[in-house]
DNA sequence: CTACGATGCTTATCACTGTTAATCGCTGCC
DNA sequence: GGCAGCGATTAACAGTGATAAGCATCGTAG
């Protein structure tokens, strides 16, 4: 099975490249196997030789996105002071979402049905993006600048707030008169406030 | 045009009824014009005599959902004390989302493209659901229990947090070990904390 | 009472979608 | 040389939203 060899063929890589390109350009809803095939220069069914189905193909891109997000979070987490670090993490998360709308949508807004068969090892990798927030919270509790239940719960709670902000902005549901940089800062601040001691 | 007469024909009502039923039962992704037609007992194209397209049909259901949500928020808003009222509103919003997942998804998670032609008067109606939160905030500021920028901004910020909570729970992204009633309460509390003086 | 136009609904059709089955062509091996 | 296996293809299936054309029924004008 081609899925098993770590270094896929050139075709596999080309499929991923074109899919990424089409996703970013046209969005998930306008992504079709035939369009990908046309862009790659192969038949639609050839994609199925390298990916079980469309979901599996998207899962590979989600994994890429999670890795990109992780990189940006790691950069933000260099700040040693827990409070400033969590602030940087939160802003980095939101910025990633706004800067990569189509990526964000498949990463976090895909219907749970489409995620049912998301591979465990990819899921574990994605969870690091939560853990990095939990760590900042735990460190903050230790030095006495934060209060929270468990850091894991706290990280999830923070995530819900940040995700809601990104989601509503991407969905263009927030009044355009309000949805500026100041609004984002206010919402992020609001999400962080609850942890301050 | 049948769209113009306030009381549509029996067919129009039947289409709405069956669409609502199918949406709740199978979800938006599994909703098709042909399935609706089959359930109603008419041809698929007949639906286009009463609704411009699939989006317009969904818009009618979104409007219904907004009305239902509004009713539940109004009930929660009977509480006179602003702090308790906002708390009741937030919990009512989240409960509505969790109790009506498919409805919530079309109401708040539909791709902006699908909402581009959402009618202005329906949009204005939907905005009451934000205003009812803003009112509680404004009242709270007046009696000195809340602090916030403008109540409108505050309501939007609160909305982002609540929406994120509902979205992640509906998307089943929150660790099942965490996603219980206590977690919901903690997240809602967190979202409200920032307004307390 | 007949003829006509409008209205409501249908069938046929188009260009797509994800996915599977069957098939083709090529390469390496016995 | 012939054959197995593998990568890739074409053909096909069932379904999608949507449009165009056609059919039947009805109220009304002549």
């Amino acid at each position: 099975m081609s899925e098993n060899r770590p270094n896929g063929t050139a075709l596999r890589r080309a499929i991923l490249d074109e899919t990424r390109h089409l996703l970013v350009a046209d969005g998930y809803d306008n992504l079709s196997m035939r369009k990908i095939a046309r862009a790659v220069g192969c038949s639609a069914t050839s994609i199925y030789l390298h990916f079980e189905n469309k979901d599996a193909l998207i899962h590979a891109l989600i994994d890429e996105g999670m890795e990109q997000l992780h990189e940006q979070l790691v950069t933000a987490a260099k700040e040693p002071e827990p409070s400033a670090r969590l602030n940087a993490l939160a802003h980095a998360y939101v910025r990633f979402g706004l800067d990569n709308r189509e990526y964000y949508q498949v990463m976090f807004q895909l219907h749970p049905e489409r995620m049912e068969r998301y591979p465990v090892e990819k899921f574990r990798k994605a969870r690091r993006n939560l853990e990095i927030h939990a760590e900042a919270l735990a460190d903050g509790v230790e030095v006495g600048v934060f209060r929270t239940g468990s850091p894991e719960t706290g990280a999830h709670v923070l995530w819900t707030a940040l995700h809601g902000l990104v989601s509503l902005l991407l969905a263009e549901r927030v009044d355009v008169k309000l949805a500026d940089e100041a609004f984002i800062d206010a919402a992020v601040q609001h999400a962080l406030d609850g942890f301050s001691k």
Side-chain angles (χ1 to χ4, degrees), chain A:
Chain A
M1 230 182 290
S2 55
E3 198 69 6
N4 279 344
R5 43 179 152 171
N7 296 337
T9 62
L11 181 55
R12 184 193 154 93
R13 205 172 11 251
I15 290 169
L16 273 176
D17 288 345
E18 290 301 335
T19 306
R20 188 183 320 110
H21 180 249
L22 284 174
L23 173 73
V24 170
D26 303 345
Y28 176 74
D29 288 352
N30 296 105
L31 191 68
S32 88
M33 299 300 258
R34 284 171 173 85
K35 279 185 194 168
I36 296 167
R38 225 173 300 149
V40 170
C42 69
S43 76
T45 51
S46 286
I47 302 174
Y48 289 87
L49 300 172
H50 298 271
F51 300 91
E52 198 193 334
N53 50 30
K54 194 183 178 184
D55 283 351
L57 177 52
I58 288 296
H59 290 170
L61 285 190
I62 292 176
D63 194 48
E64 282 189 14
M66 290 296 181
E67 218 149 319
Q68 276 183 43
L69 172 58
H70 187 66
E71 279 172 35
Q72 304 198 10
L73 291 182
V74 165
T75 303
K78 278 178 183 162
E79 169 68 44
E81 202 282 307
S83 181
R85 196 199 315 167
L86 194 62
N87 191 72
L89 281 170
H91 274 97
Y93 181 92
V94 172
R95 187 154 310 274
F96 175 87
L98 298 183
D99 288 348
N100 304 277
R101 55 182 304 146
E102 304 299 348
Y103 251 103
Y104 191 89
Q105 273 165 14
V106 296
M107 286 167 68
F108 297 114
Q109 300 181 328
L110 217 53
H111 202 283
E113 255 179 43
R114 314 239 76 79
M115 291 297 283
E116 249 170 28
R117 310 189 55 180
Y118 195 71
V120 196
E121 86 276 4
K122 285 187 171 60
F123 177 77
R124 260 197 289 268
K125 251 174 69 184
R127 213 170 38 187
R128 292 180 310 176
N129 292 330
L130 259 173
E131 287 161 2
I132 198 169
H133 287 91
E135 243 175 80
L137 270 171
D139 290 357
V141 169
E142 203 167 338
V143 300
V145 298
F146 287 152
R147 65 179 157 76
T148 177
S150 83
E152 286 74 31
T153 304
H156 271 84
V157 167
L158 174 60
W159 183 30
T160 62
L162 298 179
H163 172 71
L165 175 61
V166 175
S167 291
L168 285 185
L169 287 174
L170 291 185
E172 294 164 26
R173 293 302 205 283
V174 180
D175 196 334
V176 282
K177 293 171 193 160
L178 285 178
D180 54 6
E181 208 63 37
F183 175 77
I184 295 172
D185 288 346
V188 171
Q189 198 51 53
H190 192 93
L192 294 173
D193 266 355
F195 299 116
S196 294
K197 214 168 180 176

